[in-house]
Amino acid sequence: MGFAEAFTNAVTLKSPLLISHNNDYGWWEIEEKLALSREQGLNMWGEYYPYTAGAGPLGSEFLRPEMWEDTLGYKYEETLFDPVQNRFLNRDEYFEAVATDPGRTIIAHIPPRKPWLRKWLKVPHMVVAGDTMWSTDKDGNPLGWDDPYQDYVGHPRTAGTRGRVLRLAREENIPLMFTLSQLSYWHAKHLGDAGIEAMKIRGRMQEGMVADIVVFDPAGVTDNADFTQGANGNPTTGIPYVIVHGRIVVDNSKVRKVMAGQAVRFPVEEKERFEPVSKAQYPVD
């Protein structure tokens, strides 16, 4: 229903549309409608992150028993994983944790995603999103440059998303250039077509493009982060060099303290385009 509302407005206004986290029931219908819209010249696309579990605050409304267990049919002790305690919570433990720490990050395993995940790898213009989370240890303290990866507590997508996509696509014998389009080119194309000038010169290796380059081993690159405590933040291996704006930020698999990124945004316009609605626009007899 949320997609239908956004989609209807975008079609009517001929507006670009990105459907974020198209990971759940009905994703196939959404992707089909986005593809049909592109055939008609509209700039619409979707995204996924390559995990069968999501994450969010423990006190989220959708995790309450009447939704999570009674409506969706999931069992807490099989699906609700607490990375701080490094174990699944039962119903009583869920209520106790919500009462004392509702903002705690929880990992929510979603069983229907298991057969869907490998299908997402093959959908054109369905791009990859990392949905990186804040980096803290088990006590909630923020992590910095010099803290070990093993101290991070949270969803492994923060550390492993790209490596996981490359590994899974390799296992599925998906053409490498298709996967790179999901990881890079289609992002840049759609955002560039939406009017973000900086994205028109990114997303592919070509003369005149911005020098953001990832050097990786296609036969060996793999994710190492998982849901167990101590492994949530394990870095991907097989990506020895990353160059951002012409500067090396990963050097021989070591992350350097180099702030090379640039802000990417719509160009600033001298005059705003927003026009507030007034009663005069909609006269009523």
Side-chain angles (χ1 to χ4, degrees):
M1 291 176 65
F3 164 77
E5 181 178 352
F7 180 70
T8 300
N9 279 281
V11 169
T12 302
L13 299 171
K14 294 182 171 57
S15 169
L17 177 65
L18 165 61
I19 299 300
S20 298
H21 292 7
N22 192 19
N23 291 33
D24 288 302
Y25 188 85
W27 65 267
W28 51 89
E29 178 181 333
I30 291 173
E31 289 300 323
E32 182 178 11
K33 289 180 177 178
L34 296 175
L36 291 171
S37 299
R38 289 194 296 272
E39 291 177 6
Q40 298 175 50
L42 296 173
N43 184 19
M44 298 186 176
W45 71 108
E47 55 147 62
Y48 71 95
Y49 60 86
Y51 292 88
T52 58
L58 184 61
S60 299
E61 189 69 20
F62 72 93
L63 291 176
R64 293 184 61 80
E66 55 266 29
M67 173 60 73
W68 194 251
E69 290 201 328
D70 300 343
T71 301
L72 297 176
Y74 305 150
K75 295 183 180 299
Y76 285 130
E77 59 269 22
E78 297 175 356
T79 59
L80 213 60
F81 186 81
D82 184 352
V84 173
Q85 300 184 62
N86 199 33
R87 62 182 178 84
F88 288 92
L89 303 181
N90 61 36
R91 189 170 179 140
D92 291 338
E93 291 168 334
Y94 160 78
F95 280 119
E96 180 181 352
V98 166
T100 57
D101 190 10
R104 182 193 307 177
T105 296
I106 200 75
I107 306 297
H109 289 267
I110 304 172
R113 289 185 182 179
K114 291 182 180 179
W116 297 340
L117 171 54
R118 293 179 185 267
K119 297 180 184 294
W120 300 333
L121 301 164
K122 304 173 184 179
V123 181
H125 297 264
M126 193 179 189
V127 300
V128 178
D131 199 33
T132 298
M133 301 181 66
W134 53 92
S135 297
T136 64
D137 62 19
K138 60 184 178 59
D139 297 319
N141 300 311
L143 299 177
W145 281 100
D146 299 318
D147 291 307
Y149 297 115
Q150 291 74 22
D151 283 358
Y152 167 69
V153 173
H155 199 296
R157 64 192 180 202
T158 297
T161 293
R162 274 78 187 176
R164 184 173 174 83
V165 169
L166 288 165
R167 174 180 62 82
L168 292 174
R170 182 174 65 239
E171 293 172 358
E172 294 292 315
N173 294 315
I174 297 170
L176 180 59
M177 294 308 295
F178 184 94
T179 302
L180 294 181
S181 293
Q182 281 197 333
L183 288 166
S184 181
Y185 174 65
W186 283 324
H187 287 274
K189 171 178 170 49
H190 288 294
L191 291 171
D193 289 348
I196 303 178
E197 295 297 323
M199 298 309 292
K200 294 179 180 179
I201 52 175
R202 286 175 165 82
R204 61 261 195 210
M205 295 286 288
Q206 182 179 335
E207 185 177 351
M209 298 294 107
V210 171
D212 295 340
I213 301 170
V214 178
V215 179
F216 67 97
D217 172 16
V221 60
T222 188
D223 56 315
N224 299 297
D226 62 32
F227 294 102
T228 57
Q229 193 177 95
N232 294 166
N234 284 348
T236 290
T237 48
I239 305 179
Y241 295 95
V242 177
I243 301 171
V244 176
H245 196 47
R247 301 176 65 188
I248 297 176
V249 298
V250 177
D251 188 358
N252 197 22
S253 299
K254 300 295 183 182
V255 179
R256 300 173 61 188
K257 295 181 182 180
V258 177
M259 303 296 185
Q262 295 178 300
V264 175
R265 56 169 293 172
F266 280 103
V268 178
E269 300 181 2
E270 292 185 5
K271 183 180 179 181
E272 66 181 33
R273 288 186 283 173
F274 175 71
E275 296 181 8
V277 175
S278 66
K279 291 182 179 179
Q281 291 175 277
Y282 298 95
V284 178
D285 294 332

